[in-house]
Amino acid sequence: MKKHNKKEIVKKNRLIFAVDIEDKNKALDICKDIEEFVDAFKVGLPFVLSNGIESLAEFENLKKPVIADFKIADIPYISRKICEILSEYVDYVIVHGFLGEETVKACSEVVDLFVVADMTHRGHFISKHSEEIARIANRYAKGVVAPATNPTSIRNIRKIVGDLYIISPGVVAQGAEVGTAIRNGADFEIVGRGIYLSRNPKKEAEKISDILKSLP
Ligand code: BMP
């Protein structure tokens, strides 16, 4: 396996596209089409389980970095192994923080991380531990994932993570308005369905990034 050519995430459009599309050609076509309006592609299990891990290599032809969203949550040894495999294809990996410091540290030794500090849906148990998770992320990660659907949570997490990147899902399809997360301290907003289910993904991505870029 050739060494992956690392791409850094740069804050310009402040938009990350969630590539939760099973059809590889459709996914890559949309990514190419909207690339100028996003800062990274977040690729998760729907894409990788449908197309195989080798399909991640096809993102090499795009200019923007890839964040693998597998929300890794296992013992340190296994989590690190998964991150090591992913590091051959992607630029960043999302891991869960609730597994504790040892798991996050082990992963951070092999790839750059974003740590899930809180989530967008109702009924989970992560919020109770968001601050502890944010403190762990502070030591080992490039950034954290925090919910656009809960601006108070973003503000609390920002106080702990200093200038770490906060990337924030929940925008459009899950009800958060474009710009809410950034106004409350996030660096990037993550949008999936709001772009790929729209009639014209390119126009939609441009519209969203125009709004995000205009924010202070
Ligand atoms: P959508 O814009 O279609 O709702 O997609 C949101 C994306 O962000 C999905 O890939 C989902 O896995 C991810 N996500 C989320 O929605 N909430 C979280 O708390 C954490 C996530 O990673």
Side-chain angles (χ1 to χ4, degrees), residues 16-20 42-44 46 69 71 94 96 116 118-121 124 126 145-149 167-175 190-197:
I16 294 171
F17 178 48
V19 191
D20 297 319
K42 186 181 79 67
V43 184
D69 182 5
K71 294 192 183 64
I94 296 179
H96 260 302
V116 179
D118 198 0
M119 293 196 74
T120 53
H121 66 297
H124 63 79
I126 297 176
V145 182
T149 48
I167 65 175
S168 203
V171 182
V172 186
Q174 295 178 58
I190 300 170
V191 182
R193 287 168 287 178
I195 292 173
Y196 66 77
L197 293 184

